[in-house]
Amino acid sequence: MTLRHPHFQNTEGVEVVIAPNAGACFGVVRAIKLGHQAAKKSQTEPVRAFGPLVHNPKTIQELEKAGVDVVEDPDEILEGTVILRSHGVKQEIEAEFKRRGVTVVDATCPLVKKPQRIASSLGKKGYYLVLVGNAEHPEVKGVLSYFGKSDYLVTYRVEDLERIPDSIQKVGIVAQTTIELKVLEAITEACRKRFQEVAVYNTICDATSIRQQEAETLAQEADVMLVVGGKNSSNTTKLVKICKQFQPNTYWIEDKSELDVTWFMGKRKIGITGGASTPQEYVDEIGNWIIGLIESSPQAPVAALSLPPLEEAYGTD
Ligand code: F3S
């Protein structure tokens, strides 16, 4: 399904505006596609995703229906096909799958492959690695495995750089793809002041920051904002927080079944965005539903319909 009107306006001036980049980034689109392809290809053998392919329960259900089960423990994957998710895995885990004869479908985003490759090269060239990011994030754990040595620091705080021994002269800086640019810049500046040689690699992906900027702009103009995405998605959580700062009438939904017509009562401009892990068609589906609502009752879109309000109040975090 594609959206009938990316920017809809009726004769009464009631508008529906979708943020231009709302919805899944190319890495997530690719991972979902590879998941469905793997399920189609493997008729008899099991197909597993090593961890959820995307933080969106509806998409996971669709993949399960197609035959892709989510498995969290790598030791449970002994045969068949395994799909590696977009933020990558430790290289030893991938090697172990191959050793067992499991077919590996690598859905690691190409933008995550980049810091993996750079970390590997820095390790071989004798650099101390400063990985700007969150040590608990699977992407960071994966990148570190490619560095392959123990002389590294993972941080997003300048003060932690004091933990690097004074004997270090060559420092290589790599960033987690979703880290903020100003964090990378602050770490870089501090390293340049202290170390003789500093090699910096900006491996940040701007997919999330673009969605955040667009959400901020749209939330300032709209009378009501809808954010479409998994309740377990951290990038969607961030979008909701940003939107609420500028528009208190912000609602977070995963699916159109959660829509409540009273949200739109008397509103002239309805803004919609979706997280980087939300398939585009979910965002379009919401947009089309609202456009249909407005078209059915141009002057008072809500009055003509009497859908029951939902018991649960959304958007209260
Ligand atoms: Fe890749 Fe960036 Fe998405 S790293 S998975 S395109 S957020």
Side-chain angles (χ1 to χ4, degrees), residues 27-93:
V28 165
V29 171
R30 181 173 169 270
I32 296 170
K33 197 170 156 197
L34 286 172
H36 281 288
Q37 279 174 356
K40 235 185 196 169
K41 207 168 157 194
S42 176
Q43 302 292 334
T44 48
E45 292 210 300
V47 179
R48 276 87 167 236
F50 177 39
L53 272 191
V54 47
H55 286 142
N56 191 297
K58 202 171 142 185
T59 311
I60 295 299
Q61 275 171 20
E62 284 170 6
L63 281 161
E64 273 171 0
K65 249 196 228 158
V68 181
D69 290 323
V70 175
V71 176
E72 302 278 358
D73 181 357
D75 290 336
E76 287 178 20
I77 303 171
L78 302 169
E79 79 281 275
T81 298
V82 65
I83 306 153
L84 310 182
R85 46 189 180 165
S86 55
H87 48 227
V89 298
K90 290 182 184 173
Q91 63 171 347
E92 53 270 29
I93 294 182

Side-chain angles (χ1 to χ4, degrees), residues 24-28 86-87 109-112 139 177-178 203 205-208 276:
C25 61
F26 93 95
V28 165
S86 55
H87 48 227
C109 177
L111 295 185
V112 174
E139 177 192 320
T177 52
T178 46
T203 46
C205 159
D206 55 11
T208 43

Side-chain angles (χ1 to χ4, degrees), residues 31 134 219:
N134 174 355

Side-chain angles (χ1 to χ4, degrees), residues 89-159:
V89 298
K90 290 182 184 173
Q91 63 171 347
E92 53 270 29
I93 294 182
E94 182 177 350
E96 178 58 20
F97 286 142
K98 287 180 177 160
R99 195 195 62 75
R100 290 174 190 166
V102 176
T103 305
V104 173
V105 173
D106 189 0
T108 308
C109 177
L111 295 185
V112 174
K113 288 269 187 201
K114 198 173 152 196
Q116 289 178 346
R117 272 198 307 272
I118 295 168
S120 166
S121 156
L122 288 171
K124 286 177 193 139
K125 290 179 187 159
Y127 280 84
Y128 184 97
L129 176 70
V130 175
L131 179 44
V132 185
N134 174 355
E136 295 309 312
H137 196 284
E139 177 192 320
V140 167
K141 291 180 182 171
V143 171
L144 274 184
S145 74
Y146 282 81
F147 182 60
K149 287 159 57 184
S150 57
D151 44 352
Y152 65 81
L153 176 74
V154 180
T155 189
Y156 43 84
R157 287 189 302 245
V158 168
E159 56 269 31

Side-chain angles (χ1 to χ4, degrees), residues 3 6 17-26 29 206-215 218 228 235 239 272-281 283-284:
L3 188 72
V17 182
I18 312 254
N21 286 285
C25 61
F26 93 95
V29 171
D206 55 11
T208 43
S209 61
I210 287 173
R211 280 157 186 74
Q212 288 167 11
Q213 283 155 18
E214 289 178 356
L218 191 52
V228 190
N235 76 79
L239 285 185
I272 307 173
T273 188
S277 45
T278 310
Q280 180 72 51
E281 59 266 30
V283 179
D284 288 353

